[in-house]
Each structure stands twice: as structure tokens, then as C-alpha cells.
């Protein structure tokens, strides 16, 4: 077993990841980059959108109401350092919108999820703080029932990296 496989299967045996890949139709298992990235394993699905209306409609399908500021709220200025408590007061805005706040930690169908939007994509993540459990897979399967009718283009994998168990990088897991 090479170093990459050793890392990939460190938390979950290959047979378990293969089984999850066959069960999940939309979500993909992500093996954390690790190191100093302070990321964790997760189950992710991503969609592309083109207009703020598409974004808002998609969020409504998920049961998420995006908060819209009446005017642009104060934002951190590049090159300026802020104390932690001051920086935390700046709301995270979705790039390219006027001025929608990131959904971030939220619930979909009563399931804890993390939703992050860029100027043209939406990523939904399910998982415990740094790991993925069987319960997380079951929760992702529930959310998939809600996503079945989505007409937005799905981005598969959410990020083009071998850290995602997806047909592009692990085709034999899906046959």
C-alpha cells in the first residue's frame, strides 16, 4: 500500500468507502487535505448557479432563508489586522451578491450541514467536526432525496482532487 492509500484508508477501510460510494448518488466522500489546512473529512455535493435568483430558489428548496443586508455592511479591509472578536463581527457575504450573508452552519431537513457559496457555486457539506460516520452517510442520503429534483448543474467532484471519492478519480468504486 502506497503512502496515499495509507492516508486515504486511515480512518475508513477501502471496503467501507466503496460501499458509501455506491450508496450515495450525489454526495462525495472527501478525505481532508490534512496537515496545516485545519480541514476535516466530509461528504460534499456542489452545484453551479448563474443568478442570485437561482441561488435564492435553491436555498429555499433546502429550507434556508438567506439574510440580505439593506446596504453593504462593514467588511474587513485587506492588509489591516483585527483582534479576533472584532474580525468575528464582520459578516461573511456571498461574493457577487448585494449583500447576501453566507448560510454557513445551518440545518437542512433538521440535519446539521455547512453550506458555503462562491460567486457561482454552492457546496453543501455533511460530517462531524473532522470525521464522517455512518450516521453522516444516512443523513446525506436523506438530503439527497430533497436534491433529486434540482435542475442546477452539479459539479462532480466539488473540487477536482483525488481527495474526493468520485467517478473521475475512482471509477471502479462506482461500477
Amino acid at each position: 500500500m502506497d503512502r496515499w492509500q495509507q492516508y486515504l484508508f486511515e480512518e475508513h477501510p477501502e471496503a467501507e468507502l466503496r460501499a458509501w460510494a455506491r450508496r450515495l448518488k450525489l454526495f462525495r466522500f472527501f478525505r481532508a487535505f490534512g496537515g496545516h489546512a485545519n480541514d476535516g473529512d466530509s461528504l460534499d455535493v456542489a452545484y453551479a448557479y448563474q443568478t442570485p435568483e437561482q441561488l435564492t430558489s435553491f436555498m429555499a428548496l433546502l429550507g434556508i432563508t438567506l439574510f440580505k443586508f439593506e446596504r453593504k455592511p462593514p467588511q474587513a479591509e485587506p492588509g489591516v489586522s483585527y483582534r479576533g472578536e472584532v474580525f468575528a463581527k464582520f459578516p461573511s457575504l456571498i461574493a457577487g451578491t448585494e449583500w447576501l450573508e453566507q448560510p454557513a452552519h445551518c440545518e437542512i431537513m433538521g440535519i446539521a450541514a455547512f453550506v458555503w457559496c462562491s460567486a457561482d457555486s454552492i457546496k453543501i457539506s455533511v460530517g462531524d467536526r473532522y470525521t464522517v460516520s455512518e450516521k453522516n452517510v444516512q443523513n446525506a442520503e436523506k438530503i439527497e432525496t430533497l436534491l433529486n429534483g434540482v435542475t442546477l448543474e452539479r459539479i462532480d467532484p466539488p473540487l477536482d482532487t483525488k481527495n474526493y471519492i468520485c467517478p473521475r478519480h475512482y471509477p471502479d468504486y462506482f461500477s
Side-chain angles (χ1 to χ4, degrees):
M1 187 177 292
D2 69 17
R3 230 177 145 88
W4 169 249
Q5 290 175 321
Q6 210 172 4
Y7 178 68
L8 183 62
F9 307 129
E10 185 176 37
E11 299 293 323
H12 303 285
E14 182 178 15
E16 184 174 41
L17 293 181
R18 283 180 180 273
W20 289 354
R22 285 190 297 275
R23 284 173 55 193
L24 296 169
K25 305 299 179 232
L26 304 173
F27 278 87
R28 301 296 183 223
F29 175 80
F30 173 74
R31 180 64 171 126
F33 290 119
H36 297 289
N38 195 27
D39 62 346
D41 296 349
S42 59
L43 299 170
D44 302 336
V45 63
Y47 291 91
Y49 73 92
Q50 296 176 351
T51 66
E53 293 76 29
Q54 286 180 324
L55 171 64
T56 305
S57 294
F58 182 82
M59 290 300 160
L61 173 77
L62 300 177
I64 298 169
T65 303
L66 294 174
F67 181 78
K68 182 175 175 133
F69 291 90
E70 299 268 330
R71 59 184 177 276
K72 186 174 183 179
Q75 294 288 281
E77 294 180 36
V80 177
S81 57
Y82 299 91
R83 296 181 60 85
E85 66 274 6
V86 173
F87 187 79
K89 291 180 183 177
F90 294 117
S92 293
L93 301 178
I94 299 172
T97 66
E98 292 190 358
W99 293 279
L100 296 173
E101 188 171 26
Q102 287 285 353
H105 293 282
C106 54
E107 285 192 359
I108 302 170
M109 301 172 64
I111 298 165
F114 186 80
V115 180
W116 195 261
C117 307
S118 71
D120 60 0
S121 67
I122 305 156
K123 184 171 89 171
I124 303 168
S125 299
V126 174
D128 297 324
R129 188 158 168 83
Y130 290 103
T131 62
V132 170
S133 67
E134 173 61 27
K135 181 67 175 167
N136 300 137
V137 174
Q138 292 169 8
N139 285 336
E141 288 175 314
K142 290 175 187 171
I143 294 172
E144 284 185 344
T145 65
L146 187 64
L147 297 173
N148 279 333
V150 170
T151 58
L152 295 178
E153 176 190 352
R154 187 164 62 103
I155 303 167
D156 189 24
L159 179 65
D160 193 11
T161 172
K162 69 180 181 176
N163 294 59
Y164 276 109
I165 302 290
C166 63
R168 178 177 295 161
H169 298 289
Y170 302 90
D172 60 310
Y173 282 44
F174 296 85
S175 52

